[in-house]
Structures are given as C-alpha cells and as structure tokens.
Amino acid sequence: MVSERVPPQSEPTTTDTATVPDRPRKSRPIMAWAITLMLLGSTLISYLDRAILGLVAQPAMADLGLSAAEFGAISSAASLLSPIAALLFAFVADRLPLKNTLFTLVLIWSLLQLPIFFAASAGLLLATRLVLGAADAPANSLMHSIAYSWWPNERRGLPAAILTTGASFGKLIFAPVIVVIIAAFSWEAGFLTVAIMGFVWCVVWAFIGRTGPYAADAAPAEAQAAAAGPADPAAGRRAPLLSILLTGTFLGYLAVFTAAGILVVIVLTWLPSYFQEGLGFSAVMAGSLFGVPSIMSVIFLFLYGPLGDKALTRGVPARVVRVLIGGGLVAAGGLSLLALPLVSGVAGPMALLMLGYGLVTSIYAVANPTLAQIVPAAQRTSVLTIGLALSGLLSVVGPWLAGVVLDSAKAAGAGADGYVDVFMMAGGVAIAGGALFALLANPERDALKVEAARAARAARQSAP
C-alpha cells in the first residue's frame, strides 16, 4: 500500500521506506499471484456477505414487514460500527500478524451469516449487520497490505484492480447462483450459502496465506537505520500522523472514496429492487442481472490499473496517472448517472448504469496506491484503515437516505421514478468527489511533506 518507489524525477530521494525503491531479497511471482488470487477470493466473500441483503430485499421486506426506509436503515447498520472498529483497529494494525488477522475476520463474517438461516427476524438481521460491519471494517486495508507486500509500487495498479473486481465477480458469477438458491429454497438459504463459501476460503488460506518480500519488515530503511548506529532503528520509520492526514492527498482520497462508497452501498442494497420494480424484471432475473453494471467496472479496472502502472514505469507523474485521470473518470461516471432521466425503456438505463458504475469504481485501481505513495511503510495498514474508516462513516447514510427517497416516491405514486432520483443523487456526489480528488491530491508533493515531517521527528527522537 505504501509507495517505496515513486517516479524519481518528481519525488524525494531519502532512506525512508515511503520513497526508497523496493529491493526485496527474492522475487516470487508465482506465490505473488497465488496470494493475490486468494485475496481476490476474500474480497468476493466480503462483498457477498454484504450484498446478500440486496439479493433478499423484496422477500425479506415482505416476510418481516419492513418498509424501504426500515430496510435501508438495516443496510446502513452495517456501516455504523465500521468506522469506529476501523479506527480502533488502526491503533494496533501495524502490530498484528496480517495472515492470522485476515483469517479471523473471514471466519467471523461467515459465522455471522448462520443465525439468519436458523432464526431470521428483523432484530437479528439488524444485530448481525452491526457486528458484520465492525468485523468487515479492517478487511480492505489488510487485503491491500498483504497484496502490496508482494508487489513494488510501480506494479500495484493491477493487484489493486484485481482486488476490487472481487465485488464484480461476486455479482457476475455467484449472485445468480445465490438467487437461484433463494428462489428454490428460501431467502434465508442465501445466508447459509455465503457462510459456507467463507469457511472454505479459511481452510485454504490457513495453508498458503503469508506476507511477501515487500512487507514493511523487509524494508531497506530498517536495515540502513540498524547499520547506522546504536539508536533505535524504529525511531525514524514513522511520520507524525497529522502530517499525513492533513495532506491534500489524504483529503482528496477521503472525498473520492466516500463518493464511490455511497454509490456502491446504494447499488448493494437497491439495484436488484430497481431492476424488479423499476425495469419490470422478475425476482430471479433481477438478481441474475445484479452483476451487469460490474461488467463495465471490470473493463475499466483492468484497463486503468495496468495502463497506469505502465505509465508510471515510464516516468509519468502519479499526479497525472492516478489523480487527474482518476478524478476525471469518477466525475464522468457521475454525469452518466445524472443522465438517467433522459433515457427510457430498459436498454438505455442499463447502459448508463453500467457506464456510470464502471467509471466511478475505476478509482479503486488507483486510490489506495495514491495514498500509499505518501505513507511510510511502517504505517501502511493503519493509515489506509483510517482513510477507509472515515470514508465509511461519511457514506453510511447512503442506503437509509435512498430508502427515504424511495418511500417518498412511492407515497407520491411514482415508485419507479424514486430509483432514478436515488442514482442521480449518487451521481451528483460522484462529480463532487472526483473533482475534489483531482484538485487536492498530489502524491509527489505530499510525499515530500510527509518525508520532511518524518525526518524532523526522527531527528528530535535521536537528539541527545
């Protein structure tokens, strides 16, 4: 997640792990790909654990007697404890074993699905969503920390894109299967299905999971600090936290991640219902089409990530590759969603949703690497966890607010139009988030600022 190597013509030359080229003792590409694919599996399971609520929205609301606003509130509950848990985790994140921590989280996710299968109720659904949100909070930063420990900075765009596509593969491949299971048995059976998938992943991860040669504990700065003298070699590894959190890059990251997160959680909760009530598909077909917008997301992620990596290796500044282009894509996605009222039928809205969702979520290929580029290696997991926690806190109102809009539209006799209003709202937020990211984030500039703060802190700590 942290940029140990950044374009030499525009970034500081120091001994800090945030700016020194990665020099692992041994490259293991086969294992790097194996771990990356396992992490893809964990993102897929994380996504399905949350997306299952959207897949069962209509039958669950009917069985439990819930309004759209009440069901949206239950969906939002998954994010209520998430920011708090993530912030608490940030204080210990860099001290915990990454492999075992991720194993524990996936196991907890899977166990939390079982109570719904055996005794479903609105209260139990709310309680398990609350705990699930807390347990899911540290996962994204953990997955990226482990993945980035196997890849140098200039090759992290593709792994980041791969991790992000876990959600897309979950919708494209597994959501239709889960929908069939729900239709054949019950909506509660969907929760059992995702639980079993999590248990299987845990077994495999227990045998092959590990961190790679680019992990913080293999960073060259530590060896250099240890060789420099008797001073504590860890003294210069960390920058003051505020020197990172107050940078334009962190604030821009927060804005764009919040904007993308609002769209994602709205899609998670309400897209199948829109297909069913707004576009007239059956329940099974609506669930099967759940992953259609993700087709464009996968295309943009796998184009943007690798092409961005190639541009970085040729010396193009990250400010251009990751920030200006990334922010522009997100804003363009928001414009696509704002255009929904201009089209009618089925093909037009589907096309605009696919384009808008794909453009907005393409930021996931570069957002984490952008923030990682300014952060010392010893603070990888904690800083990204803080960023994800704060963006999650800001986006928590998305599903609930969408539910309020839908209930208002239904009361006015225009239920289908309510879904269009919801996606237009998400589009406006995406435009603002993309613009702020493009205006504020500058990883080359902020890497220098953070390095200066780290060096000053190290000098104070080593002073007699």
Side-chain angles (χ1 to χ4, degrees), residues 201-283:
W201 184 93
C202 286
V203 172
V204 179
W205 182 251
F207 286 99
I208 73 169
R210 66 198 68 184
T211 55
Y214 294 95
D217 59 0
E222 297 183 37
Q224 293 172 3
D232 180 6
R237 293 174 56 206
R238 296 173 178 270
L241 186 59
L242 283 179
S243 71
I244 300 171
L245 302 187
L246 295 180
T247 60
T249 297
F250 183 85
L251 296 175
Y253 170 93
L254 190 61
V256 78
F257 234 86
T258 299
I262 287 175
L263 176 61
V264 168
V265 295
I266 287 176
V267 166
L268 272 173
T269 307
W270 296 114
L271 186 62
S273 296
Y274 170 55
F275 285 160
Q276 188 173 349
E277 295 190 336
L279 299 183
F281 291 106
S282 67

Side-chain angles (χ1 to χ4, degrees), residues 4-24:
E4 287 91 10
R5 180 187 184 281
V6 286
Q9 74 278 16
S10 56
E11 299 192 20
T13 302
T14 73
T15 58
D16 182 56
T17 55
T19 52
V20 173
D22 292 309
R23 300 184 188 279

